[in-house]
Amino acid sequence: MKSKSNFWKDIQKAFNTGVSYMLPAVVVGGIFLAISLSTGEATDEGMKVNNQFMQNINDLGSAGFAIMIPLLAGYISYSLAGKPGIAPAMILGYVANNPIGSGDVQTGFLGAMVLGVATGYLVRWCKTWKVPPTIKTIMPILIVPIFTTFILGVIYIYVIAVPISSAMNWLVDYLGSIQGGSALLIGLIIGAMTAVDMGGPINKTATAFTLALMAEGIYGPNGAHRVAVAVPPLALAISTFIDRKKYTTEDKDLGISAFFMGLIGITEGAIPFAVKDIKRVLPAIIIGSAISGALAMINNVEALVPHGGLIILPLVNGKLWFFISMLIGVVVSVIILHFTKPNIDNTIKNNSEI
């Protein structure tokens, strides 16, 4: 029992470490994207920034978002195995967050968390090898990173990515089969898919489905999706504003950034909160996003551009219900977080008693 308890303590510490090192990239990326996109215009291809200076700011923000998942994986591994675990986990985190394999699969932050933990424990095992002194000096810079990256990279590409690709294809087919049926069911599914991995493969599947329907002149599912993308970051931001005792100072600062990310429809603003407390945060935002998506569908909300958040309100049919659906989804998530997340003082006390 004690060994199991220590294992989960190690994992929790690793996730917190990963989030701590990832946070600056999230904040920089989110703020820069929010500033640049707020000056843009909505087009059929999403928000377009025309000013060159603001486009450069947008590129800097995109760079911050591009490295945040590799940073998460790298420093989860670092917490478990020290410096030798950083580079291979960052490489694998990058792979998790970018299309790879025959199905162009990406697993986002969930895949990065798994790969970060796997890398950390594999590197920790490698450090127990009995090797000659001449080999020992090159272990952390040559043998360990090559071995761990190769082993876990091959497993990810050939064992994990293939079934995920098949599952995503099935989801697209399933969504296509129910289109035209129950608007409530479609909205619930799209909303839940939007929040469950916050930019990962399930979220991207919902995006692909709604874009395909937009090409046919059907904008309702896109409306549900674009309402739901804003719910997770806005809900976490507002939760940090009103439930101060449930969040650290770091979380409260991040809440400000998450709020602006929510306004421009960047779901990834909720990722740091989910990594630190996935068992409470994930159900809350999935339920809130599902409800918002369902409300948008049954009230005929249509988003005419492939972007989300309140920033696209001028290009929405059914503006009032676009806003109301988003507001209700956020309120539901905030209420769930209020009743499920413990106060920080109680959490520290309970951890000390384990």
Side-chain angles (χ1 to χ4, degrees), residues 201-230:
I202 299 176
N203 177 293
K204 292 293 192 296
T205 299
T207 301
F209 171 69
T210 58
L211 291 178
L213 291 177
M214 283 180 68
E216 300 177 15
I218 302 171
Y219 297 96
N222 187 56
H225 182 45
R226 303 306 169 175
V227 167
V229 296

Side-chain angles (χ1 to χ4, degrees), residues 338-353:
H338 175 77
F339 286 106
T340 57
K341 282 187 71 68
N343 291 340
I344 290 296
D345 291 341
N346 291 340
T347 304
I348 295 172
K349 182 180 178 180
N350 290 338
N351 287 340
S352 67
E353 292 173 353

Side-chain angles (χ1 to χ4, degrees), residues 168-351:
M168 294 306 104
N169 291 334
W170 174 84
L171 269 174
V172 172
D173 292 340
Y174 176 70
L175 285 172
S177 70
I178 64 172
Q179 210 290 318
S182 169
L184 176 64
L185 178 60
I186 296 170
L188 283 170
I189 293 174
I190 290 176
M193 289 175 65
T194 300
V196 71
D197 57 359
M198 290 163 280
I202 299 176
N203 177 293
K204 292 293 192 296
T205 299
T207 301
F209 171 69
T210 58
L211 291 178
L213 291 177
M214 283 180 68
E216 300 177 15
I218 302 171
Y219 297 96
N222 187 56
H225 182 45
R226 303 306 169 175
V227 167
V229 296
V231 170
L234 287 177
L236 268 305
I238 293 172
S239 183
T240 64
F241 298 159
I242 64 176
D243 278 324
R244 310 291 288 177
K245 294 182 179 180
K246 299 179 185 296
Y247 296 93
T248 65
T249 302
E250 186 180 65
D251 293 333
K252 295 169 189 174
D253 294 339
L254 183 62
I256 299 172
S257 176
F259 180 76
F260 289 107
M261 283 187 257
L263 293 179
I264 61 172
I266 299 179
T267 320
E268 289 87 343
I271 288 178
F273 297 98
V275 173
K276 292 178 72 172
D277 191 8
I278 195 166
K279 67 181 180 181
R280 297 184 182 92
V281 170
L282 209 55
I285 61 176
I286 289 173
I287 294 170
S289 292
I291 290 173
S292 70
L295 287 171
M297 277 296 297
I298 63 178
N299 288 286
N300 301 313
V301 172
E302 295 181 331
L304 307 180
V305 292
H307 200 81
L310 291 176
I311 194 172
I312 69 162
L313 192 59
L315 293 163
V316 169
N317 291 333
K319 294 178 177 59
L320 180 61
W321 273 105
F322 182 87
F323 176 77
I324 292 175
S325 300
M326 188 182 298
L327 176 63
I328 291 175
V330 168
V331 169
V332 168
S333 293
V334 170
I335 290 173
I336 294 172
L337 290 168
H338 175 77
F339 286 106
T340 57
K341 282 187 71 68
N343 291 340
I344 290 296
D345 291 341
N346 291 340
T347 304
I348 295 172
K349 182 180 178 180
N350 290 338
N351 287 340

Side-chain angles (χ1 to χ4, degrees), residues 32-109:
F32 281 15
L33 285 174
I35 292 171
S36 60
L37 289 175
S38 67
T39 67
E41 61 177 336
T43 69
D44 292 341
E45 298 177 354
M47 297 300 296
K48 183 178 181 181
V49 180
N50 295 316
N51 181 281
Q52 185 56 53
F53 176 76
M54 284 300 173
Q55 182 57 53
N56 293 336
I57 297 298
N58 184 276
D59 292 340
L60 290 172
S62 298
F65 266 38
I67 68 167
M68 73 175 189
I69 300 300
L71 283 170
L72 173 65
Y75 283 97
I76 286 174
S77 177
Y78 168 74
S79 177
L80 295 169
K83 291 181 181 179
I86 297 177
M90 282 191 174
I91 293 170
L92 293 168
Y94 176 87
V95 169
N97 203 42
N98 289 274
I100 193 168
S102 57
D104 285 342
V105 178
Q106 57 188 113
T107 55
F109 89 98

